[in-house]
Amino acid sequence: AGSLLAEAKAVFDACLRRQRGWGAQQLAALAQRLLDRLPIMAVTWRDPQVACQVYLWIQEKSIFSMAAQPDDKLRGRRFRASDLARNLLLSPFLGASVEEQERAYDDLWVPWQAQFDSAASADAAFSEFVRAELWRKDQAPSQFVLQIDQFAPLCLQNGIDIEHLRVYARFAAEFERLAAEQGNENAAKALLSGLMSSAQRRKAPRTGEGDAA
């Protein structure tokens, strides 16, 4: 709801409902006119992992590139840092079967996400983990982090809050570091294990809490 695609669908729905008794020829002519103005591109990837990288690139580009929309004009919802992290962490499983991908999602991501009562609280916990565990002052910033910092002034000038991207950039840098050492799947599992441990520490009562006075 609220997207350009949804608005276009609503217009066509209204037109079709007003016009009673569409004949086969009229529907065929309508479909032909729509298809004539709708460019379609099909791409076949030799390596499924390439498709994942392209998706991640398009996703990130749409958020912090020159084409990004300001917050007050944004249709729909902007990706949260945890949304970006989820897609990154599950990307190593793209080459597996659909069943294996769903199993990876259910076994690795859902147990962490299910601990929170809203997307906002999950995102807050994710940001807390990154700042506490991965925001290393002595670590050289990755190219992605430098790119985000470069775009920051322009984004702020255009009314785009990119603090969630700063968080994600540091998370992605850690993923790349671990992937170079352990492989993509092991890197994803290691970071998800860290997220789970961090969430459990957040929920654990502090020393002295609940003690009778």
Side-chain angles (χ1 to χ4, degrees):
S3 68
L4 294 176
L5 185 61
E7 291 180 6
K9 181 181 182 301
V11 170
F12 283 113
D13 282 347
C15 290
L16 290 171
R17 291 178 187 280
R18 283 197 301 267
Q19 182 68 36
R20 298 291 183 179
W22 282 80
Q25 289 184 337
Q26 291 173 304
L27 289 174
L30 175 62
Q32 185 64 43
R33 286 197 295 271
L34 290 174
L35 291 175
D36 283 345
R37 293 167 174 79
L38 179 64
I40 299 176
M41 178 176 65
V43 179
T44 301
W45 303 106
R46 294 181 179 178
D47 181 359
Q49 296 294 336
V50 175
C52 173
Q53 295 303 317
V54 170
Y55 171 76
L56 291 174
W57 177 82
I58 293 174
Q59 170 184 268
E60 292 164 359
K61 184 177 176 63
S62 69
I63 296 172
F64 67 86
S65 71
M66 297 287 289
Q69 293 184 329
D71 293 339
D72 60 349
K73 295 182 179 180
L74 181 68
R75 293 180 180 272
R77 294 181 179 274
R78 200 180 296 282
F79 277 109
R80 299 178 186 270
S82 55
D83 295 325
L84 298 169
R86 178 196 60 234
N87 295 342
L88 177 65
L89 292 176
L90 295 175
S91 65
F93 303 94
L94 184 67
S97 66
V98 174
E99 292 76 13
E100 290 173 314
Q101 293 180 51
E102 291 178 347
R103 189 179 306 115
Y105 174 75
D106 291 336
D107 294 346
L108 299 176
W109 181 260
V110 171
W112 176 79
Q113 187 177 18
Q115 298 183 78
F116 308 100
D117 57 5
S118 68
S121 59
D123 200 61
F126 174 80
S127 297
E128 182 178 311
F129 166 75
V130 173
R131 294 180 186 280
E133 305 293 338
L134 308 182
W135 210 293
R136 299 169 182 165
K137 300 298 184 181
D138 58 343
Q139 186 178 18
S142 69
Q143 188 63 36
F144 190 20
V145 172
L146 292 174
Q147 189 176 11
I148 292 293
D149 290 342
Q150 180 183 358
F151 270 100
L154 179 62
C155 289
L156 292 175
Q157 180 181 346
N158 291 330
I160 302 174
D161 182 6
I162 63 167
E163 186 57 31
H164 63 298
L165 287 177
R166 292 178 183 274
V167 172
Y168 169 68
R170 281 155 179 81
F171 184 83
E174 182 66 8
F175 175 82
E176 291 177 0
R177 186 187 71 80
L178 290 174
E181 297 176 356
Q182 309 173 17
N184 289 342
E185 287 192 21
N186 288 333
K189 291 176 181 178
L191 285 171
L192 283 164
S193 176
L195 280 168
M196 181 65 75
S197 298
S198 176
Q200 290 171 348
R201 288 195 299 271
R202 284 178 99 242
K203 294 174 67 175
R206 300 177 183 176
T207 302
E209 278 190 10
D211 293 344

